[in-house]
């Protein structure tokens, strides 16, 4: 059942009258790749479409700025496309404004979702995944246990995690639980020569901490085997090539005896794992080392014997695989446990999206199990309907769409997020062309977009960051970077960012 009066009005009030010449007003919530690629495509496909993009932070680009590793500057080239989108007169950036949830910093504004729903024809949720999955095992709150998401945010200057101050000085062994590309990013940050990172846009507080790190050995631990691992070729090769960093050979029994018969991608990956690194763990020039420890599932983070609040070791149960070479194999516990000394541990088992606070009031369904907004796969937000005496069926909410990680879950690189955003934009264009109901179509004054929201909520002025304002922050960061030989020196607090604008 649809509970929201704004949504149900569009559905129930008979044939839709579109006011001729009126543009399609679209609110996009989130300025990561999903938001920008949806905006780009929809503005291309619907003539005269006007997009207002709401972003909780004063700065745009989501995980392109706060997730992608600082030593991967080429990945951030997608920002050039986003700049082009933002240059359109039909595009407005509304930064430092959180939608449907309180702002997470004191200088930010917050706008209710119902207010957005009153002023647009369509709303696209593209707000990503700002939580992470937990292991729910004992000791997860010990000092020295960090979430990879927080650590990544910290080294990338995300204001929310600027004060994380991870302690990398308690010992020389680190554990990373999970074997996705985020785990490999975390390991690379711990192992890479600080002088290489110095030239990147890494936050300066991270550079300081990493330069004092005592970590020499990193275990990246997965509950399944190499044939099931989530990390990919390029990222594995990069770790193998780190100067003076050795890879500990893997257990060959988990790799098919003749990898040449595998399809190309797993074959290349297995070859890289079998070949290992140019530096051997025993060589004189080896400064640091790492391993991929397969078939181990975490059981507990254990306190150190000298300091009960500090992590000292991580305990794992060995697993066996239902079929070692089947990419879909599952892991079974063997009951055999062991401990790995660890002064620091990172939980890297995936990000997680959450519903916006108002979803339940407004009647928007969130699939908690999958951590996504319920949708038809093309991005149309869906709900279950049951007419009296009829079977359950699925219905779409007029004008509500989703894209990116909040649509399909927290996996996929920027290229797949782009494809996914294009599919959502195509669905919007198809629905607009087919004249299916959208929001606020029957009232001429209602779909005024950001103007309407401003006059209703009074949010405006100093607290809102426009695209021009972002350009000023961008220039100031680049100037600061020049002084220290970096591409950019990011501001790591929203107060610093806003001081540039004001
Ligand atoms: P996001 O990029 O997370 O964007 C969501 C945006 O919504 C954020 O700006 C957020 O602040 C905003 N937001 C959240 N809540 C609200 C709200 N209530 N109101 C307004 N705004 C809100 N892919 C690659 O191709 N190459 C890489 O090297 C790479 N490295 C990665 C490294 C890490 C650590 C991670 C986690 C991912 C990486 N990816 C990489 C994947 C890539 O970042 C994602 O595919 C992509 O960012 C997902 O886009 P999105 O727009 O769905 O989410
Ligand atoms: P991911 O790729 O989904 O990997 C998650 C890892 O956590 C898997 O190894 C998974 O193992 C493990 N895991 C999940 N639950 C677990 C549990 N309870 N106990 C133990 N292990 C558990 O997620 P991610 O690493 O966060 O990456 C997210 C996305 O961003 C991916 O698509 C990734 O490719 C992308 N990304 C790309 C880059 C890049 O291109 N350079 C960099 C970073 C991230 P199972 O498989 O056994 O579940």
């Amino acid at each position: 059942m649809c509970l929201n009066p704004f949504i149900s009005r569009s559905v129930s009030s008979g044939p839709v009258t579109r006011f001729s010449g009126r543009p399609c007003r679209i609110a996009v919530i989130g300025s990561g790749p999903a938001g920008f690629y949806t905006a780009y495509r929809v503005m291309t496909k619907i003539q005269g479409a006007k997009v207002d993009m709401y972003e909780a932070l004063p700065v745009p680009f989501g995980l392109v700025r706060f997730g992608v590793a600082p030593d991967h500057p080429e990945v951030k080239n997608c920002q050039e496309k986003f700049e082009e989108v933002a240059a359109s007169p039909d595009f407005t950036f509304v930064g430092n404004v959180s939608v449907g949830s309180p702002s997470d910093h004191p200088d930010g504004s917050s706008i209710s979702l119902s207010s957005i729903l009153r002023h647009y024809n369509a709303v696209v949720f593209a707000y990503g995944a700002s939580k992470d999955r937990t292991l729910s095992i004992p000791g997860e709150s010990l000092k020295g246990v960090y979430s990879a998401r927080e650590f990544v945010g910290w080294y990338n200057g995300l204001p929310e995690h600027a004060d994380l101050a991870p302690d990398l000085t308690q010992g020389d062994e680190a554990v990373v639980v999970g074997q996705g590309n985020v785990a490999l990013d975390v390991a690379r940050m711990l192992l890479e020569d600080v002088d290489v990172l110095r030239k990147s846009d890494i936050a300066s507080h991270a550079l300081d901490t990493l330069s004092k790190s005592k970590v020499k050995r990193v275990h990246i631990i997965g509950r399944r085997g190499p044939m099931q691992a989530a990390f990919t070729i390029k990222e594995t090769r990069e770790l193998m090539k780190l100067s003076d960093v050795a890879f500990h050979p893997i257990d060959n029994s988990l790799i098919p005896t003749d990898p040449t018969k595998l399809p190309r991608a797993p074959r290349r990956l297995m070859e890289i794992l079998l070949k290992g690194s140019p530096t051997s763990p025993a060589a004189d020039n080896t400064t640091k080392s790492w391993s991929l420890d397969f078939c181990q599932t975490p059981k507990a983070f254990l306190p150190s014997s000298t300091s009960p609040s500090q992590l000292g070791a991580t305990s794992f149960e060995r697993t066996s695989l239902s079929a070692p070479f089947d990419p879909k194999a599952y892991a079974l516990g063997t009951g055999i446990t062991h401990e790995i000394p660890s002064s620091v541990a990172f939980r890297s088992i995936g990000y997680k999206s959450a519903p916006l606070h108002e979803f339940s009031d407004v009647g928007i369904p969130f699939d908690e199990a999958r951590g996504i907004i319920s949708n038809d796969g093309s991005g149309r937000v869906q709900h279950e309907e049951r007419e009296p005496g009829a079977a359950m069926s699925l219905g779409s909410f007029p004008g509500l769409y989703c894209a990116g990680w909040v649509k399909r879950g927290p996996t996929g690189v920027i290229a797949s997020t782009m494809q996914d955003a294009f599919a959502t934009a195509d669905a919007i264009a198809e629905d607009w062309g087919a004249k299916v109901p959208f929001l606020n179509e029957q009232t001429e004054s209602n779909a005024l977009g950001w103007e309407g929201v401003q006059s209703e909520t009074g949010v405006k002025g100093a607290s809102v960051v426009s695209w021009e304002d972002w350009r000023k922050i961008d220039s100031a960061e680049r100037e600061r970077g020049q002084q220290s030989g970096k591409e950019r020196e990011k501001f790591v607090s929203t107060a610093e960012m806003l001081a540039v604008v004001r």
Side-chain angles (χ1 to χ4, degrees), residues 72 133 135 177-183 185 223-224 228 230 232 234-235 297-298 348-351 405 410-413:
H72 283 171
R133 300 182 58 218
L135 286 161
V177 177
Q179 289 186 329
N181 281 331
V182 172
D185 275 359
R223 57 185 171 182
R224 300 192 290 158
Q228 294 81 31
T232 48
K234 179 174 161 280
E235 289 64 32
T297 191
S348 183
I349 60 166
Y351 284 46
W405 278 17
T411 57
V413 292

Side-chain angles (χ1 to χ4, degrees), residues 235-274:
E235 289 64 32
T236 314
R237 197 185 282 126
E238 249 180 308
L239 263 175
M240 290 293 183
K241 285 187 171 166
L242 287 183
S243 167
D244 299 340
V245 176
F247 176 65
H248 294 262
I250 64 165
D251 173 1
N252 285 5
S253 69
L254 294 168
I255 293 190
T257 37
D258 186 2
T260 59
K261 295 203 172 119
L262 292 170
R264 190 186 164 278
R267 171 168 54 78
R268 288 294 301 124
L269 189 59
M270 296 309 118
E271 283 165 359
I272 291 165
L273 295 180
L274 288 170

Side-chain angles (χ1 to χ4, degrees), residues 377-395:
S378 298
R380 297 178 183 91
V381 177
Q382 272 196 327
H383 58 102
E384 288 181 341
E385 286 176 337
R386 191 199 286 277
E387 296 294 331
M392 192 76 87
S393 63
L394 289 171

Side-chain angles (χ1 to χ4, degrees), residues 206 462 491:
F491 294 112

Side-chain angles (χ1 to χ4, degrees), residues 312-353:
T314 312
S315 122
F316 291 89
E317 178 181 4
R318 290 200 188 283
T319 63
S320 72
L321 295 172
S322 55
F325 309 141
D326 175 358
K328 295 210 164 85
Y330 51 90
L332 298 155
T334 61
I336 303 164
T337 59
H338 67 120
E339 290 174 16
I340 298 182
S342 21
S343 53
V344 62
F346 300 89
R347 182 183 69 228
S348 183
I349 60 166
Y351 284 46
K352 195 169 89 176
S353 297

Side-chain angles (χ1 to χ4, degrees), residues 131-137 139-142 144-152 175-179 182-183 186 221 298 301 344-351:
K131 305 257 179 287
D132 50 59
R133 300 182 58 218
T134 54
L135 286 161
S136 304
I137 59 173
E140 220 160 342
S141 58
L142 282 172
V145 181
Y146 301 98
S147 106
R149 187 183 63 83
E150 290 169 1
F151 185 67
V152 165
V175 150
V176 185
V177 177
Q179 289 186 329
V182 172
V186 168
I221 306 189
F301 295 107
V344 62
F346 300 89
R347 182 183 69 228
S348 183
I349 60 166
Y351 284 46

Side-chain angles (χ1 to χ4, degrees), residues 457-470:
T457 61
V459 169
K460 57 180 112 175
S463 70
V464 177
V465 172
S466 65
W467 196 257
E468 293 280 283
D469 293 336
W470 150 244

